[in-house]
Amino acid sequence: MIGIIVILCLVLALVLTVGIGIYVIYRKMHNTVTSYSRLIFGTDDPVAGLKKVEMENAGTPKSVASATGLYLPQIMRDFPEFHYDEMKTRAENVLTSYLRGIDGNNAALLTEGMEELKENLRMRIQMLQSKSCREYFQKIHIHKTEINQYRKQKGRCSVVLQSAVEYIHYVEQSGKVVSGRKDMKEQARYNVELVYIQDRDTVENLGDSGLGLNCPNCGAPLPGLGAKTCIYCDTPIVEFNIRIWNFGAVKEV
């Protein structure tokens, strides 16, 4: 009987020792987590800290890579009648209508754009339909838009405008949300490409830079793609430029 009591006491002591050890380890781990949580998040509760960071990220606009100051003077030299504010507004309208086209499952909601952009939107909607999905973009708000790139190629120039966008974004499949959240904003960044295409069948002497235009009367080089008359002989040359700015791409970056 005494032996059994001794064994039980030993087992109890062992259990208490293990329990105390586990508790000590737990307290150390808890204190460490609390310490790091306080340091990183400013709160003792790491879960609350993570939620706080998530909310802050949801409300903080993405930064845009602005090169407006660098490229706008170049664009204005090539296209003196380029209206930056008007083009920026058009780009923001195209981006908004593109997202609304996806949200509304209707490519016709896109306000303007080249055929390649319209086809891209149609293909995205068709892909979602093939998967029995609906993608939603709600409460769209554009924080800022700046020129990001200016590209000159043979017969084609493009201005890439980058926008910081806020929206509620989620994807449903068979009525169930499979991506994103309905109750939280999301910040994103998009590039919208604005394209100017020259008529290669009409314009002669195109150079690799896209600026190799000559006067049809005296042969003198023209000062830029947007020139209307020759600076040497005043010959009108507008008819030799098909000056159409349109939108070729919308892409999240």
Side-chain angles (χ1 to χ4, degrees):
M1 188 67 180
I2 295 175
I4 295 175
I5 294 173
V6 171
I7 292 173
L8 289 175
C9 288
L10 291 174
V11 170
L12 180 60
L14 179 63
V15 169
L16 288 173
T17 302
V18 171
I20 292 171
I22 292 174
Y23 177 75
V24 170
I25 294 172
Y26 164 78
R27 290 304 304 176
K28 287 183 176 180
M29 291 179 61
H30 179 271
N31 291 339
T32 300
V33 170
T34 300
S35 177
Y36 277 109
S37 177
R38 190 182 300 116
L39 177 65
I40 297 172
F41 303 123
T43 175
D44 291 348
D45 186 350
V47 176
L50 287 171
K51 288 183 178 179
K52 179 183 176 182
V53 170
E54 187 179 32
M55 291 298 294
E56 289 176 351
N57 289 337
T60 304
K62 293 275 190 178
S63 61
V64 295
S66 172
T68 303
L70 172 65
Y71 290 125
L72 186 56
Q74 299 179 33
I75 297 169
M76 295 304 298
R77 284 196 297 269
D78 294 340
F79 300 93
E81 295 185 355
F82 184 90
H83 297 289
Y84 173 55
D85 290 337
E86 175 188 341
M87 295 301 183
K88 183 167 69 171
T89 298
R90 285 177 60 191
E92 291 179 348
N93 289 339
V94 165
L95 174 55
T96 300
S97 65
Y98 182 89
L99 297 176
R100 286 175 176 165
I102 299 172
D103 177 85
N105 209 27
N106 182 5
L109 294 177
L110 181 63
T111 54
E112 60 175 314
M114 298 169 64
E115 185 56 36
E116 59 190 275
L117 177 59
K118 295 176 181 177
E119 180 61 22
N120 177 275
L121 177 56
R122 286 192 289 265
M123 289 179 62
R124 181 159 176 171
I125 293 173
Q126 290 172 3
M127 180 191 70
L128 288 165
Q129 291 174 339
S130 69
K131 297 179 179 180
S132 300
C133 291
R134 284 289 303 274
E135 188 171 8
Y136 295 92
F137 292 91
Q138 300 172 351
K139 298 183 179 180
I140 301 168
H141 174 68
I142 297 178
H143 294 283
K144 185 178 183 180
T145 298
E146 297 286 349
I147 295 174
N148 177 251
Q149 297 179 53
Y150 177 42
R151 304 167 179 159
K152 294 188 289 186
Q153 299 171 325
K154 188 173 182 179
R156 175 186 175 116
C157 291
S158 67
V159 178
V160 178
L161 296 110
Q162 191 169 100
S163 296
V165 191
E166 171 186 298
Y167 44 50
I168 290 178
H169 172 230
Y170 59 97
V171 178
E172 284 187 350
Q173 186 175 41
S174 302
K176 181 181 178 180
V177 176
V178 294
S179 176
R181 292 178 58 172
K182 289 184 177 182
D183 60 344
M184 182 171 290
K185 295 182 295 184
E186 183 177 325
Q187 303 294 330
R189 184 168 47 235
Y190 283 81
N191 281 352
V192 179
E193 184 185 28
L194 180 61
V195 180
Y196 173 100
I197 299 180
Q198 295 170 296
D199 186 351
R200 299 190 187 191
D201 296 327
T202 305
V203 182
E204 297 178 352
N205 302 316
L206 283 173
D208 289 340
S209 67
L211 296 173
L213 292 174
N214 289 32
C215 172
N217 181 45
C218 69
L222 301 178
L225 286 170
K228 286 189 174 182
T229 60
C230 174
I231 61 175
Y232 298 99
C233 66
D234 289 329
T235 298
I237 49 85
V238 149
E239 61 270 21
F240 285 84
N241 278 334
I242 295 183
R243 302 194 304 150
I244 300 176
W245 286 101
N246 209 340
F247 294 91
V250 172
K251 183 179 180 181
E252 186 175 4
V253 292

